[in-house]
Amino acid sequence: MVLIGVDIDEVLFPFAGVIAKWHERAYKSLPSLDDLTHYDYEQDWGWSREKALEGYLATQPSPLINIPIEGALPQLMHLHTTGIRSMVLTYRPVTPPDDLRAGTHSQLTFWFREIFEKTVFCCDYPEDQRDKSKVGKEHKIDQYFLAYLLVFC
């Protein structure tokens, strides 16, 4: 049976745009999303890891606030009902003081109850083995959805 791996940020839930809106409210300026080449805010926007995390957490008061990207839930439900298995594969930080594990489980449980077999945090792996493709291979996933692809399935 097919097993797909699904990323969280920009696949299930919006991320970069949420951070940019928080920055605009907090600093009265909007950093250019064109400047964002990856999720390393230290390099792209001159932020510390703590500043980026502060911005993200400021947008997460409850799982009801961060609404899934349009199309993600119905597509996953469709795949689930046709027998395709799925798991979450994320690089969200899970070590103190950055631990997003509880909030992530809360969001996934609220919006995607019983769809995912498990959630794997790449940060739980040794640093030289955290690559999502390597972790995915270890869990024997057949396909990995990294960004927006879910809406077009």
Side-chain angles (χ1 to χ4, degrees):
M1 191 174 293
V2 174
L3 173 64
I4 61 170
V6 181
D7 198 355
I8 295 175
D9 301 315
E10 300 302 343
V11 178
L12 300 179
F13 297 100
F15 185 74
V18 171
I19 295 286
K21 287 177 185 176
W22 168 80
H23 185 276
E24 182 179 32
R25 284 192 311 270
Y27 298 99
K28 308 296 186 242
S29 69
L30 184 61
S32 171
L33 288 179
D34 293 334
D35 296 333
L36 183 65
T37 56
H38 44 73
Y39 294 121
D40 183 349
Y41 296 102
E42 294 174 30
Q43 181 176 333
D44 285 339
W45 293 344
W47 289 2
S48 67
R49 180 181 175 93
E50 292 75 24
K51 176 68 71 186
L53 188 63
E54 174 190 336
Y56 181 74
L57 292 176
T59 67
Q60 306 300 306
S62 87
L64 294 171
I65 300 302
N66 201 5
I67 296 171
I69 290 173
E70 186 176 349
L73 182 56
Q75 288 298 341
L76 278 167
M77 284 299 298
H78 172 72
L79 293 172
H80 183 71
T81 58
T82 60
I84 294 177
R85 300 165 42 231
S86 59
M87 64 177 273
V88 171
L89 188 60
T90 183
Y91 202 73
R92 286 185 170 187
V94 292
T95 55
D98 303 349
D99 196 344
L100 297 179
R101 190 183 311 261
T104 298
H105 283 300
S106 177
Q107 282 182 325
L108 294 172
T109 300
F110 183 85
W111 289 105
F112 299 97
R113 186 179 319 270
E114 299 178 19
I115 291 177
F116 297 113
E117 292 182 7
K118 59 185 162 185
T119 300
V120 175
F121 292 89
C122 293
C123 291
D124 286 338
Y125 287 76
E127 194 163 337
D128 64 337
Q129 298 172 17
R130 290 181 180 175
D131 181 83
K132 287 180 184 175
S133 62
K134 290 179 184 176
V135 174
K137 284 178 186 174
E138 181 178 318
H139 288 273
K140 301 184 181 351
I141 64 168
D142 298 295
Q143 178 68 49
Y144 179 62
F145 290 95
L146 181 60
Y148 294 119
L149 298 175
L150 217 53
V151 243
F152 302 109
C153 288

